[in-house]
Amino acid sequence: MALLLCLAATVIDGDGIRCRNLGEVRLLGIDAPDPTSSRPCRQRFGDHVCSDRQARVAKEAMRSALRLGPVRIETVGRYPYGRRLGMAFAGRINLNCRMLRISGVRYIQRYDNERRVARACRI
C-alpha cells in the first residue's frame, strides 16, 4: 500500500489524527482511553477505558509523536463516519506501535485489519 503524506497533522485524541489533506484518520488496531465526559463513556458504549487522566496522557503522547518527522498514512479502509483507517508513521516511527506503549492504550484484535498492527508491533 502507498503511504500518503499527511499535511498539517493535528491530534484528535490518543488514537486519531486529522490531516488537512486527508481528513480524520483512526489508527488501526488500537484503542486509547476516552475522557469521562465523552459520548462513549457517558452512554457506556462497548468496553471503552474511561479516564480523564489517561486520555490526557494519550493525547499528549500523540501530540509529541507527531513532532518526530513528516507524518504519512497507510490507509487500509474506512472507519464509520467516513474517517480513514490505517497505520500512521512520523518519520520512521510507527505511531500505532508507539501509542501501544502509553498507559491505558490497548491493542484490540478485532480492530486490526489483517493483523497488520500485531505483525508490525510484534504482539
Side-chain angles (χ1 to χ4, degrees), residues 71-118:
V71 177
R72 294 164 294 124
I73 306 297
E74 179 183 359
T75 301
V76 300
R78 293 279 181 171
Y79 193 73
Y81 315 112
R83 294 188 288 178
R84 292 175 188 264
L85 180 63
M87 302 283 277
F89 301 86
R92 300 182 79 168
I93 305 298
N94 181 316
L95 297 181
N96 301 61
C97 298
R98 181 182 175 100
M99 291 307 295
L100 284 171
R101 295 189 215 120
I102 305 305
S103 177
V105 178
R106 306 174 296 161
Y107 170 73
I108 307 289
Q109 184 175 347
R110 71 180 180 273
Y111 295 169
D112 189 4
N113 184 312
E114 297 178 14
R115 296 189 45 82
R116 285 182 163 101
V117 173

Side-chain angles (χ1 to χ4, degrees), residues 2-107:
L3 290 174
L4 305 173
L5 186 61
C6 170
L7 301 176
T10 57
V11 174
I12 296 171
D13 55 22
D15 53 29
I17 62 176
R18 182 175 291 110
C19 306
R20 184 178 67 217
N21 59 322
L22 302 174
E24 292 185 8
V25 179
R26 173 79 157 79
L27 273 63
L28 180 70
I30 72 169
D31 185 43
D34 293 305
T36 56
S37 63
S38 69
R39 187 172 177 224
C41 292
R42 284 192 332 267
Q43 296 181 356
R44 297 192 176 127
F45 294 153
D47 61 350
H48 291 275
V49 172
C50 299
S51 167
D52 291 332
R53 184 185 65 75
Q54 287 182 325
R56 273 193 311 275
V57 167
K59 188 172 183 176
E60 186 52 41
M62 179 67 81
R63 186 173 285 116
S64 175
L66 292 180
R67 296 184 195 116
L68 295 173
V71 177
R72 294 164 294 124
I73 306 297
E74 179 183 359
T75 301
V76 300
R78 293 279 181 171
Y79 193 73
Y81 315 112
R83 294 188 288 178
R84 292 175 188 264
L85 180 63
M87 302 283 277
F89 301 86
R92 300 182 79 168
I93 305 298
N94 181 316
L95 297 181
N96 301 61
C97 298
R98 181 182 175 100
M99 291 307 295
L100 284 171
R101 295 189 215 120
I102 305 305
S103 177
V105 178
R106 306 174 296 161
Y107 170 73

